[in-house]
Amino acid sequence: SQELEQSPQSLIVQEGKNLTINCTSSKTLYGLYWYKQKYGEGLIFLMMLQKGGEEKSHEKITAKLDEKKQQSSLHITASQPSHAGIYLCGADKDSNYQLIWGAGTKLIIKP
Amino acid sequence: EAGVTQFPSHSVIEKGQTVTLRCDPISGHDNLYWYRRVMGKEIKFLLHFVKESKQDESGMPNNRFLAERTGGTYSTLKVQPAELEDSGVYFCASSPRLHLGPEAFFGQGTRLTVV
């Protein structure tokens, strides 16, 4: 069965520094979603990638899907305290709603 | 516009007891999904409603779990009797479409602890 592996599991970054989170699939990805969760809050949609080589940006967050469509990366430039939280990748499984999920990456921003 | 709301935010119950979780989706969203995250593991799909009908309940772990969405509005997820392994965070999401993405919204989750 398809699995998503996220790395690193946790990350502590000095405010202002850049960082990258990876999401690797055991099978070809047909839809890759990035979400963010803050403690006590729901999952917030960040970006969705579908095409090999696709790249999307929102404010200081950029997500890419590699050409082989088996790995995605999430890059944050000049990190801020507001970026702290848990970042989750999800991928289409048999349908568009029964997503499989990575275990999440906990991001801590040091002031 | 109100978001997806889940009640309670936390619940601590003893093994063998019954707990009912509630999810109020965004008004007008026909699609409602339940997910759960067991401690230390990834989020898993439980089931999907389209209006009041169960479209897919393949992710429900066993018959101790019962989900309903009477009238196609709010949904409840009952666990009876609860077991220790049921502990985790239960998320609800709603969407006007059949897929998660920018139009889908998640609730804040219910943290269930079975002791």
Side-chain angles (χ1 to χ4, degrees):
Chain A
S1 61
Q2 186 175 14
E3 292 182 348
L4 289 182
E5 189 169 325
Q6 273 188 250
S7 62
Q9 286 185 323
S10 62
L11 196 52
I12 301 174
V13 174
Q14 191 75 41
E15 182 178 351
K17 296 294 185 182
N18 303 338
L19 64 106
T20 300
I21 298 169
N22 293 303
C23 178
T24 303
S25 171
S26 56
K27 295 183 180 179
T28 301
L29 293 163
Y30 293 100
L32 190 286
Y33 302 76
W34 282 102
Y35 282 84
K36 177 186 174 184
Q37 182 190 11
K38 287 198 168 185
Y39 182 78
E41 298 180 16
L43 278 67
I44 306 296
F45 172 82
L46 296 175
M47 274 168 278
M48 178 174 70
L49 304 166
Q50 291 181 299
K51 299 176 183 177
E54 186 174 9
E55 179 176 320
K56 289 187 178 179
S57 294
H58 176 67
E59 297 179 344
K60 294 184 178 180
I61 301 177
T62 300
K64 300 178 186 179
L65 183 61
D66 74 343
E67 289 288 345
K68 292 183 178 179
K69 295 174 64 177
Q70 284 194 264
Q71 184 173 38
S72 177
S73 59
L74 186 82
H75 185 76
I76 298 178
T77 305
S79 58
Q80 300 170 349
S82 61
H83 289 128
I86 298 174
Y87 288 80
L88 293 142
C89 64
D92 291 335
K93 188 173 177 284
D94 300 324
S95 61
N96 288 332
Y97 48 87
Q98 195 183 128
L99 295 185
I100 57 169
W101 296 86
T105 296
K106 184 176 181 180
L107 174 62
I108 297 171
I109 306 295
K110 286 198 310 182
Chain B
E1 179 181 326
V4 177
T5 310
Q6 292 186 244
F7 305 97
S9 56
H10 293 83
S11 180
V12 181
I13 61 171
E14 292 185 351
K15 175 182 173 181
Q17 289 186 322
T18 298
V19 63
T20 300
L21 313 180
R22 172 169 168 152
C23 169
D24 285 57
I26 291 174
S27 178
H29 281 193
D30 288 342
N31 296 276
L32 188 150
Y33 317 87
W34 282 97
Y35 290 85
R36 78 169 177 177
R37 182 170 186 166
V38 172
M39 187 67 70
K41 296 190 176 181
E42 65 278 8
I43 298 172
K44 294 277 192 184
F45 167 83
L46 294 178
L47 86 157
H48 169 219
F49 283 99
V50 176
K51 296 185 180 179
E52 67 275 9
S53 299
K54 291 177 186 175
Q55 190 76 9
D56 182 350
E57 52 183 333
S58 61
M60 295 286 263
N62 52 60
N63 59 11
R64 294 186 294 103
F65 288 76
L66 175 64
E68 295 179 324
R69 191 183 182 195
T70 306
T73 55
Y74 70 90
S75 175
T76 57
L77 180 65
K78 183 193 290 187
V79 186
Q80 180 182 30
E83 298 290 343
L84 299 178
E85 64 264 25
D86 300 332
S87 296
V89 181
Y90 290 76
F91 290 102
C92 167
S94 75
S95 175
R97 301 184 188 277
L98 269 177
H99 59 81
L100 297 183
E103 295 173 302
F105 293 88
F106 279 80
Q108 81 283 10
T110 293
R111 183 173 294 275
L112 174 65
T113 302
V114 183
V115 297

